[in-house]
Amino acid sequence: RKEVEQDPGPFNVPEGATVAFNCTYSNSASQSFFWYRQDCRKEPKLLMSVYSSGNEDGRFTAQLNRASQYISLLIRDSKLSDSATYLCVVNGGGSNAGKSTFGDGTTLTVKP
Amino acid sequence: NAGVMQNPRHLVRRRGQEARLRCSPMKGHSHVYWYRQLPEEGLKFMVYLQKENIIDESGMPKERFSAEFPKEGPSILRIQQVVRGDSAAYFCASSTSGTVTYEQYFGPGTRLTVT
């Protein structure tokens, strides 16, 4: 089993749609969680951190469920510019603090 | 505030040659990470370094690959006797130790092509 697993995708949605991505992680000691976006094999860019209380940034909402070891990203009112690969990232705890494990990514294509 | 710098952006090597990839972290960052992304695959962790220390190299191939982050100067990822299978994008990221969350910021990557 992979340490971080994401929805395989791809997701093809029309503009304006709401889309949700899920991610599960296997290490219960993991301390911090992120969503990154990667465009066309360029460098990943940090989209948002994920907190236990959930957090929102404009059209993007991230949730963390520690009991189920599950992270989600919700994108509302999708734009063409949201087309990208979304990467779920989990940082280890304890002796693995600072080491990040990336999911393989979920590809989103937003169509006019 | 300059971001993470990597050079060269593109590197072409013939089989058997050596490749040296450089990474300068963001100002104030003391942690450096190297990742490899093969064509059509996800990012794979290679090594995590702090100044003069390798913290975790569990993702590094056992042979031909080495990394360092000296007291002065950039971090270097070195690949000896390159083979075609080493062709990939190599990304460097940096983070600060001032937070427990370790958000990483990536450089633009080095695209290595082995001919």
Side-chain angles (χ1 to χ4, degrees):
Chain A
R1 186 189 169 191
K2 290 184 180 179
E3 287 185 58
V4 177
E5 294 207 62
Q6 294 189 237
D7 285 350
F11 285 68
N12 298 302
V13 303
E15 269 187 293
T18 295
V19 62
F21 304 138
N22 299 319
C23 171
T24 57
Y25 60 96
S26 60
N27 182 358
S28 60
S30 298
Q31 291 291 325
S32 51
F33 310 88
F34 309 92
W35 284 100
Y36 280 73
R37 109 175 233 162
Q38 187 175 27
D39 292 82
C40 298
R41 319 277 303 165
K42 293 184 179 177
E43 74 270 27
K45 291 188 191 288
L46 179 64
L47 182 64
M48 56 199 305
S49 302
V50 188
Y51 304 120
S52 295
S53 54
N55 48 305
E56 188 174 311
D57 182 3
R59 298 181 292 108
F60 297 82
T61 301
Q63 298 275 355
L64 167 64
N65 183 322
R66 283 190 185 271
S68 302
Q69 295 179 204
Y70 161 102
I71 305 156
S72 65
L73 176 69
L74 183 76
I75 306 175
R76 289 182 299 278
D77 189 22
S78 300
K79 311 289 184 196
L80 295 175
S81 58
D82 293 334
S83 298
T85 297
Y86 290 83
L87 306 170
C88 171
V89 183
V90 175
N91 276 8
S95 60
N96 287 323
K99 179 184 171 184
S100 293
T101 302
F102 281 71
D104 287 339
T106 301
T107 300
L108 171 65
T109 301
V110 181
K111 302 192 172 186
Chain B
N1 194 10
V4 179
M5 313 266 291
Q6 288 189 250
N7 68 79
R9 297 287 302 274
H10 299 274
L11 182 62
V12 179
R13 285 287 178 267
R14 284 198 289 271
R15 279 180 296 170
Q17 291 185 318
E18 178 179 287
R20 280 187 182 235
L21 288 60
R22 294 175 189 77
C23 170
S24 297
M26 282 178 73
K27 188 175 179 181
H29 284 192
S30 57
H31 298 231
V32 165
Y33 311 80
W34 286 93
Y35 296 87
R36 177 165 67 174
Q37 190 167 35
L38 294 168
E40 308 306 321
E41 292 191 15
L43 272 171
K44 300 300 178 197
F45 168 80
M46 298 182 76
V47 62
Y48 163 31
L49 309 106
Q50 294 177 23
K51 287 279 185 183
E52 299 184 284
N53 277 313
I54 296 174
I55 306 303
D56 185 334
E57 57 181 347
S58 57
M60 288 278 271
K62 294 287 184 264
E63 296 175 349
R64 304 188 297 108
F65 285 72
S66 62
E68 62 175 6
F69 189 14
K71 189 176 178 182
E72 302 289 338
S75 175
I76 307 284
L77 178 69
R78 182 179 176 212
I79 312 172
Q80 295 178 287
Q81 297 176 320
V82 296
V83 300
R84 288 232 172 94
D86 297 332
S87 295
Y90 291 83
F91 291 101
C92 167
S94 71
S95 71
T96 176
S97 60
T99 170
V100 297
T101 56
Y102 294 91
E103 290 111 339
Q104 294 180 23
Y105 295 88
F106 281 79
T110 295
R111 268 77 178 166
L112 172 66
T113 302
V114 179
T115 61

